[in-house]
Amino acid sequence: MSSVQLWTLVFVVLSFGLYIYIAYASRVNTTAGFYVAGGGIPAPANGAAIAADWMSAASFISMAGIIALSGNGYGASVYLMGWTGGYVLLAMLLAPYLRKFGKYTVPDFVGDRYSESARLIAVVCAIVVSFVYVAGQMSGVGVVFQRFLGVDTTVGVIIGMVIVFLYAVLGGMKGITWTQVAQYSVLIVAYLIPAVAISQKLTGIPVPQIGFGQIMDELNGLQADLGFAEYTAAFTSTNMLNMLLITAALMFGTAGLPHVIVRFYTAKSVRAARFSALWALFFISLLYLTAPAIGAFSKLNILRQLPGTEEASAPAWYQSWKEVGLIEFTDKNGDGLINFTAATDAANELLINNDIVVLATPEIAGLPAPIVGLVAAGGLAAALSTASGLLLVISSSVANDVYYKRINPQATEARQLLVGRIAMGGAIVVAGYLGINPPGFVAQVVALAFGLGAASFFPILVLGIFWKKCTAAGATAGMIAGLGTTLAYQLWTIDIYGGSDGLFGINETAFGTIGMLINFAVTITVSQFTTKPTEAMQQLVEDIRYPGRSELVAAHAAGELDDDLLHGEHRDGEHS
Amino acid sequence: MDTAQRDKYWKRNLRLMAILLTIWALVSYGAGIIFVEQLNKIQIMEIPLGFWFAQQGAIITFLILIAIYVWRMDKLDAEFGITEYEDEVRHS
């Protein structure tokens, strides 16, 4: 066993032990504890949990690599702005009001505010979006185990499943929340330490967010010499229209994703929900402001070390990642030298997978073995924390919104908890299967998930709060229209299905924004012509806008209001 | 709160949001994308400004915007006599 493997094992065992201990210490026996941690999480902890929940294996492992390797540096700004800008929307438009509404899940809000058929559509969206994400997280776990511990991917995924099972099934949302606080700490330390060390080494400035300016000139120069577009140049790989639409889709998608929104139900109060959004973005920005620096540093090191080098004398990190197939080299001109130019250039001989950049950064920069091991533990923390949050969305959608609200409203607390735990167990098995046999198009399906979030949930959540007269029929029609057009466009344009260029060259990742606008238009139009919500519902929506206690909101949250009063006498699908 | 006060509270909340969301859009879609090439002609600490907004400046601005929102809403609540928040709503 190499020293890198030994250190990885040490950090992985220590961090996994910590997660399970925390889950044991915060185990729950109520549905409120299982779904929303009893609603008593203080804002800084909730913010850290949101950050860990939100920053997945994609943020931790892939993002710096996408910035460094996808054409030039500027193009990947859509992820940096898109995935953080959504928090401004969440903090101002959704978080405080949803917290005051006081429910367990996003479908719960939709079902309560609108109708039972809207609830079912929301359940389907939440489950699809969550499974799509979970597949990516689980395969991320597999990659880390395979590369750093030499364990078979399948065994790695199974270890991950067992760990998540232990702490998620035992502790529910409460266990997950406190575990995620620990996971956030592990992942941010693992991300920042190598970044600081590399920045110090390359620029003499130990603050990577500032140091990275020092290397821009050299990086732009090296890129230009090798035939890449300049690192900082705009619109070389993506045009302005797509940059705008993709950024918007990621922002509104973030604000519409069920596993992030559900986090605001766990806050102590409306004020704590607002503060949670602030803390969340603060914790996220520690990583998101560092990622562009890591991307640039790695690109510089790669460009200094590889092009024009003989393959046999390439550095050790090159050899070890090539062994696992994440670096590919084809000596097209047979001169034995690595010829590295833009990927679109026919003479390019080198393909580097985006996912190796963060994991390989410490090795590329020649940092010691313990740091490499720490980064591996950080990658696992990022993947497992997001996976557990998503699995909770799935299990609460099934147990609360389908089983309790639709199938057996008389179920006891203990029975609901049992169903929640069984649903969680089932979801983990499916997630593990998807992780071991990932659908070949994970990257595209993730884009699809954001499109779905933006096009289905965002408009009806915002209108549900800000427009008292938004009707159930309007919201249902809006969700179907937004979701349907987005799904159709994506299937039509994604390479492996339609492969079409689409309309005006709009990218499949970008269409979520259009779908969202369609949803808004349809919801508003249909609402003009359909039965208005009852007086009680309009009063309730108005009440959640103001601070302080309202009898109506409290009675509603406690489930004491008569359904006929809220929804009128002919509510669809009720009492069936 | 009576109806008149509620109206006042909601209007001030909406105005605050409108201002902050305008800045949100100008910095991300404006400085980061639409005007990126013009801003790139200016360099600060050796980084082209438009590129900096797209990669770091926008995120820092978002953080400041939420901080202002949280701070102003606290003040607004206090003005309308709300100081007690805990346990205001139970979960169903």
Side-chain angles (χ1 to χ4, degrees), chain A residues 73-74 81 85 91-92 97 103-104 212 235 248 251 265 268 270-271 274-275 282 289 292 543 545-547 557, chain B residues 6 9-10 13 17 20 24 29 32-33 36 47 54-56 62-63 69-70 74 77 85-86 88 90-92:
Chain A
Y74 174 80
M81 289 190 287
M92 293 178 199
Y97 310 105
K103 288 287 148 181
Y104 286 150
F212 99 121
F235 313 129
M251 283 180 176
Y265 292 121
K268 251 185 179 160
V270 170
R271 181 170 183 264
R274 295 198 293 257
F275 269 93
F282 170 73
L289 291 173
D543 275 7
R545 298 174 179 178
Y546 306 103
Chain B
R6 282 187 158 201
Y9 179 92
W10 188 240
N13 179 9
M17 280 184 349
L20 296 177
W24 165 81
Y29 302 113
I33 300 175
V36 64
I47 306 181
Q55 300 230 311
Q56 294 189 314
F62 298 154
L63 200 55
Y69 173 74
V70 166
D74 262 14
D77 283 357
Y85 291 93
E86 306 312 318
E88 55 195 8
R90 285 171 294 157
H91 283 283
S92 64

Short mmCIF file of all heavy atoms in Angstrom, two decimals, chain A residues 73-74 81 85 91-92 97 103-104 212 235 248 251 265 268 270-271 274-275 282 289 292 543 545-547 557, chain B residues 6 9-10 13 17 20 24 29 32-33 36 47 54-56 62-63 69-70 74 77 85-86 88 90-92:
data_model
loop_
_atom_site.label_atom_id
_atom_site.label_comp_id
_atom_site.label_asym_id
_atom_site.label_seq_id
_atom_site.Cartn_x
_atom_site.Cartn_y
_atom_site.Cartn_z
N GLY A 73 -11.15 29.60 -19.99
CA GLY A 73 -11.62 29.82 -18.62
C GLY A 73 -12.97 30.49 -18.51
O GLY A 73 -13.76 30.16 -17.64
N TYR A 74 -13.27 31.44 -19.42
CA TYR A 74 -14.48 32.25 -19.27
C TYR A 74 -15.77 31.44 -19.43
O TYR A 74 -16.73 31.66 -18.70
CB TYR A 74 -14.46 33.41 -20.28
CG TYR A 74 -15.75 34.19 -20.28
CD1 TYR A 74 -16.01 35.14 -19.30
CD2 TYR A 74 -16.73 33.95 -21.25
CE1 TYR A 74 -17.20 35.83 -19.28
CE2 TYR A 74 -17.93 34.64 -21.23
CZ TYR A 74 -18.16 35.58 -20.24
OH TYR A 74 -19.35 36.26 -20.23
N MET A 81 -21.62 31.71 -11.80
CA MET A 81 -22.69 32.69 -11.55
C MET A 81 -24.04 31.99 -11.35
O MET A 81 -24.82 32.37 -10.49
CB MET A 81 -22.78 33.67 -12.70
CG MET A 81 -21.62 34.63 -12.76
SD MET A 81 -21.91 35.96 -13.96
CE MET A 81 -21.73 35.09 -15.50
N GLY A 85 -26.04 32.54 -8.02
CA GLY A 85 -27.06 33.59 -8.18
C GLY A 85 -28.43 33.13 -7.74
O GLY A 85 -29.26 33.94 -7.33
N ALA A 91 -33.34 33.48 -1.23
CA ALA A 91 -33.39 34.26 0.02
C ALA A 91 -34.54 35.25 0.00
O ALA A 91 -35.20 35.46 1.01
CB ALA A 91 -32.08 35.00 0.23
N MET A 92 -34.78 35.88 -1.17
CA MET A 92 -35.77 36.96 -1.19
C MET A 92 -37.16 36.49 -1.59
O MET A 92 -38.15 37.02 -1.12
CB MET A 92 -35.32 38.04 -2.17
CG MET A 92 -34.07 38.74 -1.69
SD MET A 92 -33.54 39.96 -2.87
CE MET A 92 -31.84 40.13 -2.33
N TYR A 97 -41.03 32.74 3.11
CA TYR A 97 -42.46 32.46 2.98
C TYR A 97 -42.74 30.98 3.08
O TYR A 97 -43.72 30.55 3.68
CB TYR A 97 -42.97 33.04 1.66
CG TYR A 97 -42.54 34.47 1.50
CD1 TYR A 97 -41.53 34.82 0.62
CD2 TYR A 97 -43.12 35.46 2.29
CE1 TYR A 97 -41.12 36.14 0.51
CE2 TYR A 97 -42.70 36.77 2.19
CZ TYR A 97 -41.70 37.12 1.31
OH TYR A 97 -41.28 38.40 1.22
N LYS A 103 -44.39 23.47 6.02
CA LYS A 103 -44.69 22.11 5.56
C LYS A 103 -43.43 21.26 5.56
O LYS A 103 -42.38 21.67 6.01
CB LYS A 103 -45.30 22.18 4.16
CG LYS A 103 -46.70 22.75 4.16
CD LYS A 103 -47.67 21.73 4.73
CE LYS A 103 -48.80 22.43 5.45
NZ LYS A 103 -49.74 21.49 6.04
N TYR A 104 -43.54 20.05 5.04
CA TYR A 104 -42.40 19.13 5.03
C TYR A 104 -41.64 19.12 3.71
O TYR A 104 -40.44 18.96 3.66
CB TYR A 104 -42.86 17.71 5.29
CG TYR A 104 -43.24 17.43 6.72
CD1 TYR A 104 -44.21 16.50 7.01
CD2 TYR A 104 -42.61 18.09 7.76
CE1 TYR A 104 -44.56 16.23 8.31
CE2 TYR A 104 -42.95 17.83 9.06
CZ TYR A 104 -43.93 16.90 9.34
OH TYR A 104 -44.27 16.63 10.62
N PHE A 212 -4.52 34.23 -8.04
CA PHE A 212 -4.70 33.73 -9.41
C PHE A 212 -4.61 34.82 -10.47
O PHE A 212 -4.36 34.53 -11.64
CB PHE A 212 -5.93 32.82 -9.51
CG PHE A 212 -7.21 33.43 -10.03
CD1 PHE A 212 -7.80 32.91 -11.18
CD2 PHE A 212 -7.83 34.49 -9.40
CE1 PHE A 212 -8.99 33.42 -11.66
CE2 PHE A 212 -9.02 35.02 -9.88
CZ PHE A 212 -9.60 34.48 -11.01
N PHE A 235 -16.89 34.51 -25.00
CA PHE A 235 -17.66 33.96 -26.12
C PHE A 235 -16.83 33.21 -27.15
O PHE A 235 -17.06 33.31 -28.35
CB PHE A 235 -18.45 35.07 -26.83
CG PHE A 235 -19.20 35.95 -25.88
CD1 PHE A 235 -19.09 37.33 -25.95
CD2 PHE A 235 -20.01 35.40 -24.89
CE1 PHE A 235 -19.76 38.15 -25.04
CE2 PHE A 235 -20.69 36.21 -23.99
CZ PHE A 235 -20.56 37.59 -24.07
N ALA A 248 -29.20 31.76 -16.54
CA ALA A 248 -30.54 31.92 -15.96
C ALA A 248 -31.13 30.57 -15.58
O ALA A 248 -31.72 30.41 -14.51
CB ALA A 248 -31.45 32.65 -16.94
N MET A 251 -29.62 29.46 -12.38
CA MET A 251 -30.08 30.28 -11.25
C MET A 251 -31.50 29.89 -10.84
O MET A 251 -31.76 29.60 -9.67
CB MET A 251 -30.06 31.76 -11.62
CG MET A 251 -28.69 32.40 -11.60
SD MET A 251 -28.87 34.13 -12.07
CE MET A 251 -27.18 34.71 -11.88
N TYR A 265 -37.32 24.65 5.36
CA TYR A 265 -38.31 24.20 6.33
C TYR A 265 -37.65 23.78 7.64
O TYR A 265 -38.31 23.70 8.66
CB TYR A 265 -39.10 22.99 5.79
CG TYR A 265 -40.00 23.30 4.62
CD1 TYR A 265 -39.83 22.64 3.40
CD2 TYR A 265 -41.03 24.22 4.73
CE1 TYR A 265 -40.66 22.90 2.32
CE2 TYR A 265 -41.86 24.49 3.65
CZ TYR A 265 -41.68 23.82 2.46
OH TYR A 265 -42.50 24.07 1.40
N LYS A 268 -35.22 27.42 12.16
CA LYS A 268 -35.95 27.66 13.41
C LYS A 268 -37.14 28.57 13.21
O LYS A 268 -38.18 28.41 13.84
CB LYS A 268 -35.00 28.33 14.40
CG LYS A 268 -34.58 27.44 15.53
CD LYS A 268 -33.75 28.26 16.51
CE LYS A 268 -33.32 27.41 17.68
NZ LYS A 268 -32.18 27.96 18.38
N VAL A 270 -38.78 32.20 10.58
CA VAL A 270 -38.68 32.93 9.32
C VAL A 270 -37.37 33.71 9.23
O VAL A 270 -36.69 33.70 8.22
CB VAL A 270 -39.88 33.89 9.17
CG1 VAL A 270 -39.68 34.82 7.99
CG2 VAL A 270 -41.16 33.09 9.01
N ARG A 271 -37.03 34.34 10.34
CA ARG A 271 -35.77 35.09 10.36
C ARG A 271 -34.59 34.14 10.13
O ARG A 271 -33.67 34.44 9.37
CB ARG A 271 -35.62 35.80 11.70
CG ARG A 271 -34.36 36.62 11.82
CD ARG A 271 -34.42 37.49 13.08
NE ARG A 271 -33.25 38.34 13.18
CZ ARG A 271 -32.17 38.02 13.89
NH1 ARG A 271 -32.13 36.89 14.56
NH2 ARG A 271 -31.15 38.84 13.94
N ARG A 274 -34.14 33.31 6.48
CA ARG A 274 -33.40 34.34 5.74
C ARG A 274 -31.91 34.23 6.00
O ARG A 274 -31.09 34.26 5.08
CB ARG A 274 -33.88 35.75 6.15
CG ARG A 274 -35.32 36.04 5.80
CD ARG A 274 -35.60 37.53 5.83
NE ARG A 274 -35.53 38.16 7.13
CZ ARG A 274 -36.60 38.51 7.88
NH1 ARG A 274 -37.81 38.29 7.42
NH2 ARG A 274 -36.45 39.10 9.04
N PHE A 275 -31.57 34.11 7.29
CA PHE A 275 -30.15 34.00 7.63
C PHE A 275 -29.52 32.72 7.08
O PHE A 275 -28.35 32.70 6.72
CB PHE A 275 -29.95 34.09 9.15
CG PHE A 275 -29.73 35.48 9.63
CD1 PHE A 275 -30.79 36.27 10.06
CD2 PHE A 275 -28.45 36.03 9.62
CE1 PHE A 275 -30.59 37.57 10.48
CE2 PHE A 275 -28.23 37.33 10.04
CZ PHE A 275 -29.31 38.12 10.48
N PHE A 282 -22.55 32.15 1.87
CA PHE A 282 -21.21 32.42 2.40
C PHE A 282 -20.35 31.16 2.35
O PHE A 282 -19.23 31.16 1.83
CB PHE A 282 -21.29 32.95 3.84
CG PHE A 282 -19.95 33.03 4.52
CD1 PHE A 282 -19.03 34.01 4.16
CD2 PHE A 282 -19.60 32.10 5.48
CE1 PHE A 282 -17.78 34.06 4.76
CE2 PHE A 282 -18.36 32.14 6.09
CZ PHE A 282 -17.45 33.13 5.73
N LEU A 289 -15.39 30.71 -4.92
CA LEU A 289 -14.40 31.73 -5.26
C LEU A 289 -13.02 31.10 -5.42
O LEU A 289 -12.13 31.69 -6.02
CB LEU A 289 -14.36 32.82 -4.18
CG LEU A 289 -15.60 33.71 -4.11
CD1 LEU A 289 -15.53 34.63 -2.90
CD2 LEU A 289 -15.74 34.55 -5.38
N PRO A 292 -12.24 28.94 -9.44
CA PRO A 292 -11.58 29.53 -10.60
C PRO A 292 -10.07 29.59 -10.42
O PRO A 292 -9.31 29.44 -11.40
CB PRO A 292 -12.16 30.95 -10.69
CG PRO A 292 -13.17 31.09 -9.64
CD PRO A 292 -13.26 29.83 -8.85
N ASP A 543 -51.36 36.09 4.81
CA ASP A 543 -50.79 36.02 6.16
C ASP A 543 -49.33 35.59 6.19
O ASP A 543 -48.58 36.01 7.07
CB ASP A 543 -51.62 35.08 7.04
CG ASP A 543 -52.81 35.79 7.66
OD1 ASP A 543 -53.05 36.96 7.29
OD2 ASP A 543 -53.50 35.18 8.50
N ARG A 545 -47.09 36.51 4.35
CA ARG A 545 -46.20 37.59 3.93
C ARG A 545 -45.76 38.46 5.09
O ARG A 545 -44.83 39.26 4.95
CB ARG A 545 -46.93 38.48 2.92
CG ARG A 545 -47.32 37.76 1.67
CD ARG A 545 -48.15 38.69 0.83
NE ARG A 545 -48.54 38.07 -0.42
CZ ARG A 545 -49.32 38.66 -1.31
NH1 ARG A 545 -49.75 39.88 -1.09
NH2 ARG A 545 -49.63 38.04 -2.42
N TYR A 546 -46.45 38.35 6.23
CA TYR A 546 -46.13 39.26 7.31
C TYR A 546 -45.51 38.51 8.47
O TYR A 546 -45.84 37.36 8.72
CB TYR A 546 -47.40 39.98 7.76
CG TYR A 546 -48.08 40.64 6.62
CD1 TYR A 546 -49.21 40.09 6.04
CD2 TYR A 546 -47.52 41.79 6.06
CE1 TYR A 546 -49.80 40.68 4.95
CE2 TYR A 546 -48.10 42.38 4.95
CZ TYR A 546 -49.24 41.82 4.39
OH TYR A 546 -49.80 42.39 3.30
N PRO A 547 -44.62 39.20 9.17
CA PRO A 547 -43.98 38.55 10.32
C PRO A 547 -44.96 38.48 11.48
O PRO A 547 -46.02 39.11 11.45
CB PRO A 547 -42.83 39.50 10.63
CG PRO A 547 -43.30 40.85 10.17
CD PRO A 547 -44.16 40.58 8.97
N ALA A 557 -50.73 25.26 9.77
CA ALA A 557 -49.51 24.48 9.92
C ALA A 557 -49.75 23.28 10.83
O ALA A 557 -49.15 22.23 10.67
CB ALA A 557 -48.38 25.35 10.45
N ARG B 6 -50.05 46.60 7.27
CA ARG B 6 -49.65 45.46 6.43
C ARG B 6 -49.29 45.92 5.03
O ARG B 6 -48.29 45.52 4.47
CB ARG B 6 -50.80 44.45 6.34
CG ARG B 6 -50.93 43.60 7.57
CD ARG B 6 -51.96 42.54 7.32
NE ARG B 6 -51.75 41.43 8.24
CZ ARG B 6 -52.21 40.19 8.02
NH1 ARG B 6 -52.90 39.92 6.94
NH2 ARG B 6 -51.97 39.23 8.89
N TYR B 9 -45.95 47.64 5.13
CA TYR B 9 -44.87 46.66 5.32
C TYR B 9 -44.57 45.94 4.00
O TYR B 9 -43.43 45.81 3.57
CB TYR B 9 -45.28 45.65 6.39
CG TYR B 9 -44.26 44.55 6.65
CD1 TYR B 9 -43.31 44.71 7.64
CD2 TYR B 9 -44.28 43.36 5.91
CE1 TYR B 9 -42.38 43.71 7.89
CE2 TYR B 9 -43.35 42.37 6.14
CZ TYR B 9 -42.40 42.54 7.14
OH TYR B 9 -41.48 41.54 7.37
N TRP B 10 -45.62 45.48 3.33
CA TRP B 10 -45.45 44.70 2.10
C TRP B 10 -44.84 45.56 1.00
O TRP B 10 -43.96 45.11 0.26
CB TRP B 10 -46.80 44.13 1.67
CG TRP B 10 -46.72 43.16 0.54
CD1 TRP B 10 -47.32 43.27 -0.67
CD2 TRP B 10 -46.00 41.92 0.51
NE1 TRP B 10 -47.03 42.19 -1.46
CE2 TRP B 10 -46.22 41.34 -0.76
CE3 TRP B 10 -45.19 41.25 1.43
CZ2 TRP B 10 -45.65 40.13 -1.13
CZ3 TRP B 10 -44.63 40.03 1.05
CH2 TRP B 10 -44.86 39.49 -0.21
N ASN B 13 -41.16 46.00 1.64
CA ASN B 13 -40.50 44.73 1.35
C ASN B 13 -40.31 44.58 -0.16
O ASN B 13 -39.22 44.26 -0.65
CB ASN B 13 -41.36 43.60 1.93
CG ASN B 13 -40.78 42.23 1.66
OD1 ASN B 13 -39.65 42.10 1.18
ND2 ASN B 13 -41.55 41.19 1.94
N MET B 17 -36.80 44.45 -2.39
CA MET B 17 -36.49 43.32 -3.30
C MET B 17 -36.25 43.80 -4.72
O MET B 17 -35.35 43.32 -5.40
CB MET B 17 -37.64 42.32 -3.30
CG MET B 17 -37.59 41.42 -2.09
SD MET B 17 -38.84 40.14 -2.07
CE MET B 17 -39.94 40.57 -3.34
N LEU B 20 -32.72 45.31 -4.97
CA LEU B 20 -31.65 44.31 -4.87
C LEU B 20 -31.63 43.40 -6.09
O LEU B 20 -30.56 43.05 -6.60
CB LEU B 20 -31.81 43.49 -3.58
CG LEU B 20 -31.66 44.28 -2.27
CD1 LEU B 20 -31.91 43.39 -1.07
CD2 LEU B 20 -30.28 44.91 -2.17
N TRP B 24 -28.74 42.59 -8.82
CA TRP B 24 -28.43 41.17 -9.09
C TRP B 24 -28.35 40.92 -10.60
O TRP B 24 -27.40 40.31 -11.10
CB TRP B 24 -29.52 40.31 -8.44
CG TRP B 24 -29.63 38.88 -8.86
CD1 TRP B 24 -28.87 37.85 -8.40
CD2 TRP B 24 -30.56 38.33 -9.81
NE1 TRP B 24 -29.28 36.68 -9.00
CE2 TRP B 24 -30.30 36.94 -9.87
CE3 TRP B 24 -31.58 38.85 -10.60
CZ2 TRP B 24 -31.04 36.08 -10.69
CZ3 TRP B 24 -32.30 38.00 -11.42
CH2 TRP B 24 -32.03 36.64 -11.46
N TYR B 29 -25.90 39.28 -15.34
CA TYR B 29 -26.16 39.28 -16.78
C TYR B 29 -25.50 40.46 -17.48
O TYR B 29 -25.04 40.35 -18.61
CB TYR B 29 -27.67 39.31 -17.05
CG TYR B 29 -28.38 38.14 -16.43
CD1 TYR B 29 -29.27 38.32 -15.38
CD2 TYR B 29 -28.13 36.84 -16.87
CE1 TYR B 29 -29.91 37.25 -14.79
CE2 TYR B 29 -28.77 35.77 -16.28
CZ TYR B 29 -29.66 35.98 -15.24
OH TYR B 29 -30.28 34.91 -14.65
N GLY B 32 -21.20 40.53 -16.15
CA GLY B 32 -20.58 39.23 -16.39
C GLY B 32 -20.72 38.73 -17.81
O GLY B 32 -19.89 37.95 -18.29
N ILE B 33 -21.80 39.14 -18.52
CA ILE B 33 -22.03 38.57 -19.85
C ILE B 33 -22.19 39.64 -20.95
O ILE B 33 -21.39 39.70 -21.87
CB ILE B 33 -23.27 37.64 -19.82
CG1 ILE B 33 -23.04 36.50 -18.83
CG2 ILE B 33 -23.52 37.07 -21.22
CD1 ILE B 33 -24.23 35.60 -18.62
N VAL B 36 -19.25 42.12 -21.06
CA VAL B 36 -17.97 41.54 -20.63
C VAL B 36 -16.80 42.02 -21.50
O VAL B 36 -15.71 42.32 -20.99
CB VAL B 36 -18.06 39.99 -20.59
CG1 VAL B 36 -18.29 39.42 -21.96
CG2 VAL B 36 -16.81 39.39 -19.98
N ILE B 47 -6.19 41.15 -13.69
CA ILE B 47 -7.31 40.35 -14.21
C ILE B 47 -8.23 41.26 -15.02
O ILE B 47 -8.60 42.34 -14.54
CB ILE B 47 -8.12 39.73 -13.06
CG1 ILE B 47 -7.20 38.95 -12.12
CG2 ILE B 47 -9.21 38.82 -13.61
CD1 ILE B 47 -7.92 38.28 -10.98
N ALA B 54 -17.40 37.83 -13.97
CA ALA B 54 -18.03 36.55 -14.29
C ALA B 54 -17.57 35.45 -13.34
O ALA B 54 -18.32 34.54 -13.01
CB ALA B 54 -17.74 36.17 -15.74
N GLN B 55 -16.30 35.49 -12.90
CA GLN B 55 -15.79 34.39 -12.10
C GLN B 55 -15.84 34.65 -10.60
O GLN B 55 -15.98 33.71 -9.82
CB GLN B 55 -14.35 34.07 -12.52
CG GLN B 55 -14.26 33.67 -13.99
CD GLN B 55 -13.49 32.40 -14.21
OE1 GLN B 55 -12.40 32.23 -13.69
NE2 GLN B 55 -14.05 31.50 -14.98
N GLN B 56 -15.69 35.91 -10.17
CA GLN B 56 -15.66 36.16 -8.73
C GLN B 56 -16.53 37.32 -8.29
O GLN B 56 -17.22 37.24 -7.28
CB GLN B 56 -14.20 36.43 -8.29
CG GLN B 56 -13.31 35.22 -8.44
CD GLN B 56 -11.95 35.43 -7.81
OE1 GLN B 56 -11.33 36.46 -7.99
NE2 GLN B 56 -11.49 34.43 -7.07
N PHE B 62 -23.49 38.89 -4.93
CA PHE B 62 -24.65 38.14 -4.45
C PHE B 62 -24.66 38.06 -2.93
O PHE B 62 -25.69 38.22 -2.28
CB PHE B 62 -24.66 36.70 -5.01
CG PHE B 62 -24.76 36.62 -6.51
CD1 PHE B 62 -24.24 35.52 -7.18
CD2 PHE B 62 -25.36 37.62 -7.25
CE1 PHE B 62 -24.33 35.42 -8.56
CE2 PHE B 62 -25.45 37.53 -8.63
CZ PHE B 62 -24.93 36.44 -9.30
N LEU B 63 -23.48 37.79 -2.39
CA LEU B 63 -23.34 37.64 -0.95
C LEU B 63 -23.71 38.95 -0.25
O LEU B 63 -24.46 38.96 0.73
CB LEU B 63 -21.90 37.24 -0.64
CG LEU B 63 -21.60 36.58 0.69
CD1 LEU B 63 -22.46 35.35 0.90
CD2 LEU B 63 -20.13 36.18 0.75
N TYR B 69 -30.22 42.41 2.38
CA TYR B 69 -31.62 42.01 2.52
C TYR B 69 -31.94 41.55 3.95
O TYR B 69 -32.90 42.00 4.55
CB TYR B 69 -31.94 40.90 1.51
CG TYR B 69 -33.31 40.31 1.68
CD1 TYR B 69 -34.44 41.02 1.28
CD2 TYR B 69 -33.49 39.06 2.25
CE1 TYR B 69 -35.71 40.48 1.46
CE2 TYR B 69 -34.74 38.52 2.42
CZ TYR B 69 -35.85 39.23 2.02
OH TYR B 69 -37.09 38.70 2.20
N VAL B 70 -31.08 40.68 4.46
CA VAL B 70 -31.30 40.15 5.81
C VAL B 70 -31.28 41.26 6.85
O VAL B 70 -32.13 41.34 7.73
CB VAL B 70 -30.19 39.10 6.11
CG1 VAL B 70 -30.14 38.77 7.57
CG2 VAL B 70 -30.41 37.85 5.29
N ASP B 74 -34.59 42.71 8.99
CA ASP B 74 -34.57 42.74 10.45
C ASP B 74 -35.00 44.11 10.95
O ASP B 74 -35.80 44.23 11.89
CB ASP B 74 -33.15 42.43 10.95
CG ASP B 74 -33.00 40.98 11.35
OD1 ASP B 74 -33.90 40.19 10.99
OD2 ASP B 74 -32.00 40.64 12.01
N ASP B 77 -38.77 44.61 10.28
CA ASP B 77 -39.56 43.87 11.28
C ASP B 77 -39.59 44.62 12.61
O ASP B 77 -40.64 44.78 13.22
CB ASP B 77 -38.96 42.47 11.51
CG ASP B 77 -39.31 41.51 10.38
OD1 ASP B 77 -40.05 41.93 9.46
OD2 ASP B 77 -38.85 40.37 10.41
N TYR B 85 -39.29 35.79 17.29
CA TYR B 85 -39.45 34.94 16.12
C TYR B 85 -39.65 33.46 16.45
O TYR B 85 -40.25 32.73 15.71
CB TYR B 85 -38.22 35.02 15.22
CG TYR B 85 -38.05 36.34 14.52
CD1 TYR B 85 -37.26 37.34 15.07
CD2 TYR B 85 -38.67 36.58 13.30
CE1 TYR B 85 -37.10 38.55 14.43
CE2 TYR B 85 -38.50 37.78 12.64
CZ TYR B 85 -37.71 38.76 13.22
OH TYR B 85 -37.55 39.94 12.56
N GLU B 86 -39.07 33.03 17.55
CA GLU B 86 -39.00 31.59 17.79
C GLU B 86 -40.39 30.96 17.87
O GLU B 86 -41.34 31.56 18.36
CB GLU B 86 -38.22 31.29 19.07
CG GLU B 86 -36.84 31.92 19.11
CD GLU B 86 -36.02 31.69 17.84
OE1 GLU B 86 -36.05 30.57 17.32
OE2 GLU B 86 -35.37 32.63 17.38
N GLU B 88 -42.74 30.49 15.94
CA GLU B 88 -43.93 31.16 15.44
C GLU B 88 -44.83 30.22 14.65
O GLU B 88 -46.01 30.45 14.51
CB GLU B 88 -43.55 32.37 14.60
CG GLU B 88 -42.60 32.03 13.48
CD GLU B 88 -41.95 33.27 12.91
OE1 GLU B 88 -42.12 34.35 13.47
OE2 GLU B 88 -41.29 33.13 11.88
N ARG B 90 -45.60 25.95 13.96
CA ARG B 90 -45.27 24.53 14.11
C ARG B 90 -45.41 23.85 12.76
O ARG B 90 -46.03 24.38 11.85
CB ARG B 90 -46.22 23.89 15.11
CG ARG B 90 -45.92 24.26 16.54
CD ARG B 90 -47.01 23.76 17.43
NE ARG B 90 -48.26 24.45 17.15
CZ ARG B 90 -49.45 23.94 17.45
NH1 ARG B 90 -49.53 22.75 18.00
NH2 ARG B 90 -50.55 24.62 17.19
N HIS B 91 -44.83 22.67 12.67
CA HIS B 91 -44.99 21.93 11.43
C HIS B 91 -46.20 21.01 11.51
O HIS B 91 -46.56 20.57 12.58
CB HIS B 91 -43.74 21.09 11.16
CG HIS B 91 -42.62 21.90 10.63
ND1 HIS B 91 -42.56 22.32 9.34
CD2 HIS B 91 -41.53 22.39 11.24
CE1 HIS B 91 -41.47 23.03 9.17
NE2 HIS B 91 -40.82 23.09 10.30
N SER B 92 -46.79 20.76 10.37
CA SER B 92 -47.94 19.85 10.36
C SER B 92 -47.44 18.42 10.55
O SER B 92 -46.32 18.12 10.22
CB SER B 92 -48.70 19.95 9.06
OG SER B 92 -47.91 19.53 7.98
#
